[in-house]
Amino acid sequence: MKVNINAEDQILVIFGASGDLTYRKLIPAVFDLHMQGLLPDNFAVLGVSRSEMSDEDFRTRMSQGIKEFALFKEADDKTLHEFIQCLYYISINTKESNDYGILSNKLVELDKAHNTKGNYIFYLSVPPSLYKMIPGFLSEQGLTKNGQSFRRLIVEKPFGSDLESARDLNKFLLDNFEEDQIYRIDHYLGKETVQNVLVTRFANSIYEPLWNRNFIHHVEITAAENIGVGSRGGYYEDSGALRDMLQNHLLQLVALIAMEPPTVINATSIRNEKLKIFQSLRPLKENELFKNVIRGQYGAANVRGEYQKGYREEQGVDPNSRTETFVALKLFIDNWRWGGVPFYLRTGKRLPTRVTEIVIHFKPTPHQLFIENKEFCTDGNILVIRIQPDEGILLKTGMKIPGSGYNVKNINMDFHYKDLQETYVPSAYERLLLDCMIGDATLYARGDSVEEAWEFVQPILDFWKNNSDAPLYQYPCGTWGPDVADTLIEEKHLTWRYPCKNLADDGIYCEL
Ligand code: BG6
């Protein structure tokens, strides 16, 4: 099957090619694109890293990654063998300017062999300390300017570690590339269900008239993980949940939920609307930070018979660490649509289950006729947009129980993506790589909005840094974070939704 997606012939250059991301995500995603006939006719991948490896070693290793992680992992050996012939590898010291001559020569050689016409994507799958160095050296080699050929740069997260470093990185990159050449990855935007937020809102006429402060009481966004930090303790110590998940993934979800309809579906229009949301986030004042931002850290516990280490016992973690593995906060968007509607965000590791979802809580009816009903929750309808797992959408609505009187009960109207049996759901990296190949930056974060998101988060970082006594609550592994997070929601009768593995279930007691 060959679909016309207009990707020009090109070379994908991956820095950090011996790393985990290349093995588990990037090359499997490229292979999945190949299997669907979505790669350009003339295409090659050049892996670049410090480790010594021949093309053959690289191909063998990537074949293993494909067999383990590609969605088309069952492909036959012949197909796989044919595909890996387009993979090449060079070993250079990426911190050494002179070594970039080797890269430049190799690209010329590959262009000749594959007729790729000097079009290159440079993918930085390397530690953030190299995010300036590598583009700087590419620039010295004259490899960063668009001309007859295109040059694009993909930058992995984290994009900066605070407002100042994000500004500095943006400035540096913009000295060497144009904004439309820079693709800042937020892999949440590549998730099919995240993109479905826009379709749910703007392809249906029933939601949008209700999508505002007149009908919505509050919005809840949860990104829970049941894993701990595993072997990433070293990285996580300097990051924490706020930088690792909230500044990027969760705020991106807020923007998609809250933005105005774009005039057209393209990168400029959508990203302009998202930017306005980031600009409208009400800055958190110092006196609110105690109350409206809760941080926690997981402590050891036995979870379903298995001992789970506390964060401070994890490899690479300071035994006295004050890094947060959980953060919950309340924010407001100061604009006409959302004035006064609280948005509650929470994310954490070692929570009871892995789930990401957005919950829209509609206001209750103005006059409650069925209030006597014990089974009927009168708090208002809720719409759950489930990002993962059991991807889908669920509306809780009141329904009459057959029989005499007016007994009402909450029922679920739910759609699960898995019911679309024939539909292939691409991985986030597959979608994002393809978009970059065709020059579509819609699902990538623009520099101005990344800075705005940092601007919102910076007072929290400063507050924690300058107030060593700012509370850090411990929560046992396998729980929903510190109890105190419940107090963010001021109305006593309301709580967070406690989601389960299955979209339609909730409550503390359910299958996790
Ligand atoms: C990454 C974070 O960006 O997102 C990880 O660095 C986190 O700490 C991951 O585990 C979660 O992504 P997903 O797609 O599994 O929800």
Side-chain angles (χ1 to χ4, degrees):
M1 166 186 55
K2 182 90 193 170
V3 183
N4 182 11
I5 46 130
N6 297 326
E8 292 173 59
D9 300 329
Q10 58 191 281
I11 300 176
L12 171 63
V13 183
I14 304 178
F15 290 93
S18 59
D20 227 30
L21 187 74
T22 308
Y23 179 80
R24 297 162 74 99
K25 301 280 187 193
L26 302 182
I27 296 296
V30 174
F31 180 70
D32 288 334
L33 289 171
H34 166 73
M35 291 302 287
Q36 296 162 84
L38 294 172
L39 291 177
D41 291 335
N42 298 313
F43 177 75
V45 174
L46 177 60
V48 183
S49 258
R50 201 166 177 166
S51 326
E52 290 289 341
M53 238 192 292
S54 65
D55 287 344
E56 272 322 307
D57 295 339
F58 183 57
R59 289 170 183 170
T60 308
R61 189 171 141 72
M62 293 305 114
S63 305
Q64 285 158 5
I66 290 168
K67 284 185 178 155
E68 213 178 325
F69 297 106
L71 296 177
F72 286 90
K73 53 165 74 72
E74 310 302 340
D76 60 63
D77 285 348
K78 182 166 170 281
T79 309
L80 182 56
H81 181 77
E82 277 165 14
F83 167 75
I84 57 171
Q85 302 315 309
C86 78
L87 306 183
Y88 298 85
Y89 183 86
I90 52 166
S91 156
I92 65 167
N93 180 353
T94 42
K95 295 182 182 164
E96 188 47 67
S97 161
N98 292 337
D99 279 17
Y100 285 73
I102 304 173
L103 169 68
S104 193
N105 292 339
K106 185 73 185 179
L107 286 171
V108 172
E109 182 193 316
L110 289 180
D111 270 334
K112 277 203 196 113
H114 286 270
N115 195 18
T116 37
K117 309 186 177 74
N119 294 323
Y120 310 139
I121 294 179
F122 299 106
Y123 195 122
L124 302 185
S125 172
V126 290
S129 54
L130 297 174
Y131 284 1
K132 282 177 23 183
M133 199 179 284
I134 293 175
F137 291 144
L138 291 174
S139 180
E140 278 176 19
Q141 293 291 330
L143 288 168
T144 59
K145 296 272 174 262
N146 274 344
Q148 300 284 11
S149 324
F150 71 72
R151 305 289 154 84
R152 297 178 189 144
L153 179 74
I154 303 183
V155 189
E156 258 299 329
K157 67 164 282 236
F159 195 90
S161 56
D162 57 12
L163 178 58
E164 194 187 333
S165 56
R167 279 186 180 148
D168 179 56
L169 179 56
N170 257 340
K171 186 173 173 323
F172 183 87
L173 295 181
L174 288 167
D175 286 343
N176 294 289
F177 292 85
E178 300 298 323
E179 172 62 43
D180 65 5
Q181 293 176 278
I182 307 171
Y183 291 71
R184 299 171 193 77
I185 283 235
D186 184 309
H187 80 279
Y188 263 55
L189 295 176
K191 290 182 193 276
E192 196 59 37
T193 40
V194 171
Q195 294 154 42
N196 191 39
V197 171
L198 289 187
V199 176
T200 303
R201 289 190 56 198
F202 304 133
N204 298 296
S205 59
I206 60 167
Y207 299 116
E208 207 44 31
L210 306 179
W211 213 259
N212 57 54
R213 68 187 179 284
N214 296 321
F215 297 96
I216 292 180
H217 184 269
H218 67 276
V219 177
E220 202 188 312
I221 301 181
T222 293
E225 294 183 274
N226 51 359
I227 52 167
V229 293
S231 57
R232 297 169 74 222
Y235 150 78
Y236 201 84
E237 268 292 85
D238 291 329
S239 166
L242 184 69
R243 289 185 171 97
D244 187 47
M245 292 288 290
L246 194 138
Q247 184 275 340
N248 37 64
H249 307 325
L250 267 68
L251 289 183
Q252 289 291 336
L253 295 181
V254 170
L256 292 172
I257 284 294
M259 66 188 252
E260 293 302 314
T263 42
V264 284
I265 295 292
N266 68 22
T268 306
S269 193
I270 291 182
R271 298 193 304 173
N272 282 349
E273 294 306 333
K274 285 171 61 188
L275 175 66
K276 289 183 206 159
I277 293 300
F278 294 122
Q279 290 168 334
S280 315
L281 295 175
R282 185 187 297 169
L284 288 159
K285 299 205 188 71
E286 189 149 346
N287 60 357
E288 293 165 332
L289 288 164
F290 254 113
K291 208 171 83 192
N292 288 351
V293 185
I294 307 292
R295 61 175 174 166
Q297 189 186 74
Y298 61 81
N302 280 311
V303 181
R304 278 168 278 174
E306 180 208 331
Y307 174 77
Q308 291 186 345
K309 282 185 203 166
Y311 176 68
R312 292 177 182 187
E313 298 166 60
E314 300 276 18
Q315 180 196 330
V317 171
D318 177 349
N320 297 313
S321 171
R322 289 186 64 78
T323 298
E324 80 289 355
T325 59
F326 173 97
V327 65
L329 63 78
K330 177 179 182 175
L331 64 80
F332 289 93
I333 298 169
D334 284 337
N335 65 14
W336 275 54
R337 186 189 281 263
W338 295 109
V341 177
F343 280 65
Y344 299 101
L345 274 48
R346 70 178 166 171
T347 181
K349 298 210 184 279
R350 284 282 185 230
L351 301 188
T353 189
R354 174 176 183 254
V355 62
T356 301
E357 64 177 29
I358 300 159
V359 189
I360 312 292
H361 293 256
F362 291 94
K363 288 185 174 170
T365 53
H367 177 49
Q368 301 195 350
L369 290 168
F370 306 108
I371 199 146
E372 293 307 315
N373 273 267
K374 296 261 175 332
E375 274 199 78
F376 179 42
C377 159
T378 50
D379 293 340
N381 301 101
I382 69 168
L383 178 73
V384 183
I385 302 174
R386 177 59 81 88
I387 306 297
Q388 63 192 20
D390 192 12
E391 292 80 356
I393 190 158
L394 161 80
L395 179 67
K396 282 190 186 274
T397 184
M399 202 63 90
K400 181 176 178 298
I401 302 174
S404 63
Y406 284 95
N407 289 322
V408 184
K409 149 185 188 114
N410 269 317
I411 58 123
N412 291 332
M413 290 167 63
D414 46 340
F415 160 73
H416 304 250
Y417 262 81
K418 63 176 181 291
D419 297 339
L420 293 176
Q421 272 155 10
E422 295 307 317
T423 304
Y424 170 82
V425 180
S427 70
Y429 277 96
E430 180 186 328
R431 174 64 201 260
L432 292 171
L433 277 171
L434 180 62
D435 281 4
C436 182
M437 286 178 190
I438 60 179
D440 181 354
T442 309
L443 301 178
Y444 287 84
R446 206 168 60 190
D448 48 8
S449 56
V450 174
E451 287 185 21
E452 289 290 343
W454 276 117
E455 183 122 25
F456 173 73
V457 159
Q458 189 64 45
I460 312 176
L461 294 172
D462 293 342
F463 178 70
W464 288 346
K465 189 168 160 213
N466 301 331
N467 295 278
S468 51
D469 57 339
L472 170 71
Y473 300 97
Q474 200 186 60
Y475 60 95
C477 289
T479 64
W480 281 104
D483 290 352
V484 66
D486 293 343
T487 61
L488 280 179
I489 306 180
E490 275 167 27
E491 294 88 342
K492 292 275 174 293
H493 63 290
L494 298 179
T495 62
W496 296 90
R497 179 172 126 99
Y498 293 104
C500 308
K501 195 158 78 182
N502 182 310
L503 163 65
D505 296 339
D506 52 21
I508 307 242
Y509 304 103
C510 58
E511 195 201 341
L512 295 172

